C-alpha cells in the first residue's frame, strides 16, 4: 500500500541480517554436533533424542562447548533432555571422512541418498505423503490470489493477512508440539495434522467466506507446523547419521520438485472449472491420502531408533561431513 518496492527492500534486509548472523557463527576444529530437527525452532524435540545406552547402538546426539573445541564442562539443555559436551578425541575418527569418501563419485553419493530414501519403507511412505501434500498446497497457492480477491472480495492490501494467519499458526505449533509429542504417539499426531491441512482446505473450497478463510489458514498453520516438526524428526530418526545430508537433500528434491507440477495443475483446474474446485480437490486428496496411510503412521515404525549398521548394506560409502 505504501510502496510496491518496500516489501522487496524489507526482504533484502532480512537476507542481509541472516547473512551477518551466519557470518558471526564461529567454528572450531573439534567435532561438529548434529543439527536439531528442521522446523523445531532451534531445539531437539524430546522424541528425537535417543538415550546413550539404547540397544540399537546409535549414540545420543551431543553438543560441543561454546568455543567449538568440544572441551566445555557444562552441558547444554535442549527441550527436556540434557546433552553432554562432545569430545573431539572421542568422535573425531567417527566423523572424519574416510578414504572412500574422497574416491566415491558425486553421482554415487547422490544415488546413495535416493537408495536409502526409497529402500526404507518408513522413509518411502513419508516422502510420498509429503509430495502429495506439497502438490496440493502448491495448487492452492497458485490460485489463492484469485480466490481471495474474486471470491472473498479482499483488497490486494488485505490479501496477505491469509498468509499471516498461517504463519501465526505455525509459531503456535512450535510452542506446543514438543508437549504434545511427550503425551501422544507421534504417528497419531501426524495423522491429526494431515487431517487438519486437508480438512481446512476442503472447507475453504465448500464455503467461500473471508472469516472461514482466516480461521482455516490459522488452523492449517498449526497443523502444517506440527506436521513439519514431527515428519522431519521421524525422517532423521530413520536415517543413519552418515547419510543424513544426502537423504535430506534427496527428500527435498522430490518434495520441492512437485511444487511447479501442483501449481500448474491448480491453475489449469481453476481456469477450467473454478478456483473453489482446486481447494475441494486438494483437500479431498489429502484426506483420502490420510485414510490410505493412517495404519502405517499409526503403527509408529518411524519412532523406533535405527542402527546404521543394520539392514543398510549400501550405507558403507562414507560419512557425511558438513
Amino acid at each position: 500500500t505504501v510502496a510496491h518496492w518496500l516489501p522487496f527492500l524489507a526482504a533484502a534486509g532480512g537476507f542481509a541480517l541472516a547473512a551477518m548472523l551466519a557470518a558471526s557463527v564461529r567454528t572450531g576444529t573439534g567435532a561438529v554436533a548434529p543439527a536439531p530437527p528442521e522446523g523445531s525452532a532451534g531445539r531437539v524435540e524430546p522424541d528425537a533424542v535417543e538415550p546413550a545406552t539404547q540397544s540399537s547402538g546409535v549414540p545420543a546426539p551431543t553438543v560441543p562447548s561454546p568455543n567449538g573445541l568440544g572441551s566445555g564442562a557444562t552441558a547444554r539443555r535442549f527441550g527436556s533432555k540434557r546433552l553432554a559436551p562432545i569430545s573431539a578425541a572421542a568422535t573425531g575418527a567417527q566423523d572424519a571422512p574416510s578414504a572412500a569418501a574422497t574416491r566415491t563419485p558425486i553421482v554415487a553419493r547422490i544415488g546413495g541418498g535416493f537408495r536409502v530414501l526409497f529402500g526404507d519403507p518408513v522413509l518411502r511412505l513419508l516422502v510420498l505423503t509429503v509430495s502429495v501434500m506439497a502438490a496440493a498446497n502448491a495448487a492452492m497457492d497458485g490460485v489463492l490470489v484469485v480466490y481471495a480477491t474474486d471470491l472473498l472480495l479482499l483488497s490486494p492490501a488485505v490479501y496477505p493477512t491469509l498468509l499471516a494467519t498461517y504463519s501465526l499458526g505455525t509459531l503456535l505449533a512450535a510452542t506446543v508440539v514438543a508437549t504434545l509429542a511427550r503425551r501422544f504417539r507421534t504417528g497419531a499426531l501426524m495423522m491429526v495434522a494431515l487431517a487438519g491441512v486437508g480438512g481446512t482446505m476442503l472447507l475453504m473450497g465448500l464455503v467461500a467466506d473471508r472469516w472461514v478463510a482466516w480461521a482455516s489458514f490459522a488452523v492449517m498453520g498449526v497443523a502444517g507446523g506440527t506436521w513439519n516438526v514431527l515428519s522431519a524428526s521421524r525422517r532423521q530418526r530413520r536415517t543413519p547419521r552418515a547419510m543424513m545430508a544426502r537423504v535430506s537433500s534427496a527428500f527435498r528434491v522430490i518434495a520441492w520438485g512437485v511444487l511447479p507440477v501442483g501449481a500448474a495443475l491448480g491453475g489449469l483446474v481453476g481456469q477450467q472449472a473454478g478456483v473453489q474446485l482446486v481447494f475441494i480437490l486438494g483437500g479431498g486428496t489429502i484426506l483420502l491420502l490420510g485414510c490410505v496411510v493412517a495404519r502405517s503412521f499409526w503403527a509408529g515404525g518411524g519412532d523406533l531408533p535405527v542402527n546404521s549398521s543394520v539392514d543398510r548394506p549400501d550405507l558403507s560409502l562414507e560419512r557425511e561431513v558438513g
Side-chain angles (χ1 to χ4, degrees):
T1 302
V2 176
H4 291 300
W5 52 265
L6 192 56
F8 295 92
L9 178 62
F15 278 107
L17 177 60
M20 289 188 291
L21 292 174
S24 67
V25 176
R26 297 183 179 182
T27 58
T29 57
V32 180
E38 299 170 56
S40 60
R43 65 173 183 273
V44 176
E45 300 301 334
D47 63 348
V49 180
E50 303 296 342
T53 57
Q54 64 186 23
S55 58
S56 67
V58 180
T62 51
V63 180
S65 60
N67 61 13
L69 299 179
S71 58
T74 304
R76 292 179 58 187
R77 180 177 292 274
F78 284 84
S80 62
K81 300 289 184 179
R82 183 168 294 277
L83 307 177
I86 193 170
S87 169
T91 62
Q94 179 186 12
D95 287 314
S98 63
T102 60
R103 296 192 299 267
T104 304
I106 185 63
V107 174
R109 301 187 201 180
I110 296 174
F114 280 98
R115 285 196 299 273
V116 173
L117 181 60
F118 285 97
D120 184 293
V122 174
L123 294 177
R124 181 172 61 248
L125 180 65
L126 189 60
V127 71
L128 293 176
T129 302
V130 169
S131 297
V132 173
M133 295 176 65
N137 275 277
M140 178 190 69
D141 291 340
V143 299
L144 185 57
V145 174
V146 179
Y147 176 83
T149 56
D150 289 2
L151 298 181
L152 304 184
L153 302 180
L154 296 178
S155 67
V158 177
Y159 149 73
T161 58
L162 294 174
L163 304 178
T165 55
Y166 182 93
S167 298
L168 292 176
T170 60
L171 292 176
L172 176 60
T175 64
V176 300
V177 65
T179 302
L180 293 175
R182 285 193 292 267
R183 297 186 57 182
F184 304 100
R185 295 177 63 91
T186 57
L189 289 174
M190 292 174 71
M191 286 297 94
V192 172
L194 187 149
V197 173
T200 51
M201 194 179 300
L202 178 62
L203 178 61
M204 285 188 290
L206 296 174
V207 182
D209 178 82
R210 61 178 61 185
W211 294 103
V212 171
W214 279 319
S216 296
F217 265 93
V219 174
M220 190 185 299
V222 175
T226 300
W227 172 272
N228 286 342
V229 172
L230 297 179
S231 64
S233 298
R234 172 168 291 204
R235 183 185 76 238
Q236 292 176 350
R237 285 195 300 272
R238 292 292 300 190
T239 304
R241 293 178 63 189
M243 300 291 291
M244 189 73 72
R246 278 172 286 172
V247 170
S248 296
S249 298
F251 193 98
R252 288 174 176 172
V253 165
I254 297 172
W256 291 358
V258 300
L259 295 182
V261 177
L265 291 176
L268 180 62
V269 172
Q271 184 180 32
Q272 299 297 326
V275 295
Q276 283 184 266
L277 186 60
V278 177
F279 285 76
I280 293 174
L281 291 178
T285 300
I286 293 177
L287 293 177
L288 179 61
L289 173 67
C291 296
V292 174
V293 303
R295 183 177 180 181
S296 299
F297 277 91
W298 196 277
D303 295 336
L304 301 177
V306 176
N307 188 340
S308 60
S309 63
V310 178
D311 298 330
R312 294 295 207 289
D314 60 337
L315 300 187
S316 57
L317 289 175
E318 75 274 357
R319 282 204 61 81
E320 203 88 68
V321 177

